[in-house]
Amino acid sequence: MIMKISFLLAFSIYICLCMAKDSDNLYDVCPTDTTRKNIFINGFPCKNPAQITASDFKSSVLSKEGDTDNFQRSSTTLVTAAEFAGLNTLGLSVARTDLDVDGMIMPHAHPRASEMMFVGKGVVIVGFIDTKSQVFQKTLKQGDVFIVPRGLLHYNLNSGFELATVYSVLSSQNPGMLSISDAMFAPVLSEPMRDLMKNLFSRSKLGTNQIKNVTSFRC
């Protein structure tokens, strides 16, 4: 009896994990209907098919450079189905990250999405940390692509001498974000935050061979 209960419990967990992704779309397209804000569902309602146009599938939001005049010298613009109607039900979102010289994105995770990064400009150090505390880190140049598995902590650093731009595609229309800095440090300009930022940047400059338990790969 105990074995049977254990099997059912394990099977239930497996089913939940398999279903822990964006729902598959039931129509060819389903652009977000932004007029109905009082309907609460796991996603967004669809527009009337008669009102769908080609403009629903185009966005120019990522064409604009982000404001990097801040402590971390970086900016990230995330575009989800809430802002880009054509993404609704497709399980995708897109982002642009701008990194000024010495700029960085602090360690964070997307609980509902894997992330594919494409360097459009500059030289960027990208890394993620797995559940065994191994660091996977590479230096990327223009045209390089890097993958961050779903839910793992990752970070970006500008290691060049000019503004760097990274474009991302995430495997969820609402990937979410868990930030170490937001969770552990307040305010953002606190001394622990400054020390962590300085430590991460100095480690990246040393190269991956100076970090213990490091495994790196090239896409």
Side-chain angles (χ1 to χ4, degrees), residues 9-85:
L9 178 60
F11 183 74
S12 299
I13 294 174
Y14 173 77
I15 292 297
C16 289
L17 290 174
C18 290
M19 296 178 65
K21 66 179 186 66
D22 291 358
S23 301
D24 292 332
N25 51 313
L26 301 178
Y27 305 97
D28 290 339
V29 294
C30 176
T32 305
D33 182 355
T34 57
T35 63
R36 292 186 286 176
K37 300 182 182 298
N38 60 341
I39 298 178
F40 301 95
I41 58 176
N42 190 23
F44 296 100
C46 304
K47 291 179 66 174
N48 184 328
Q51 298 176 348
I52 297 174
T53 67
S55 296
D56 292 320
F57 306 98
K58 176 190 174 182
S59 173
S60 299
V61 175
L62 300 188
S63 65
K64 303 174 183 178
E65 185 177 304
D67 182 9
T68 59
D69 185 18
N70 52 62
F71 175 67
Q72 297 182 27
R73 302 179 66 83
S74 65
S75 172
T76 296
T77 301
L78 177 64
V79 182
T80 69
E83 300 84 24
F84 189 177

Side-chain angles (χ1 to χ4, degrees), residues 27 32 43 45 60 86 98 108 128 144 157 161 168 181 199 201-202 217:
Y27 305 97
T32 305
S60 299
D98 291 296
H108 64 282
F128 67 84
D144 287 342
L157 306 160
F161 301 98
S168 299
S181 60
N199 184 48
F201 194 79
S202 62
F217 63 93

Side-chain angles (χ1 to χ4, degrees), residues 4 24 62 106 119-120 124 127 160 182 189 194 198 200 207 216:
K4 185 176 181 180
D24 292 332
L62 300 188
M106 293 295 288
V119 178
V124 181
D182 291 345
L189 297 181
R194 293 178 184 273
K198 185 183 299 182
L200 277 173
S216 59

Side-chain angles (χ1 to χ4, degrees), residues 168-185:
S168 299
V169 176
L170 299 100
S171 62
S172 171
Q173 73 175 53
N174 186 24
M177 188 179 81
L178 300 174
S179 171
I180 285 183
S181 60
D182 291 345
M184 296 180 62
F185 305 107

Side-chain angles (χ1 to χ4, degrees), residues 78-111:
L78 177 64
V79 182
T80 69
E83 300 84 24
F84 189 177
L87 290 176
N88 196 32
T89 75
L90 299 185
L92 296 171
S93 56
V94 291
R96 170 177 175 155
T97 299
D98 291 296
L99 298 157
D100 207 342
V101 177
D102 291 340
M104 73 177 304
I105 299 295
M106 293 295 288
H108 64 282
H110 303 292

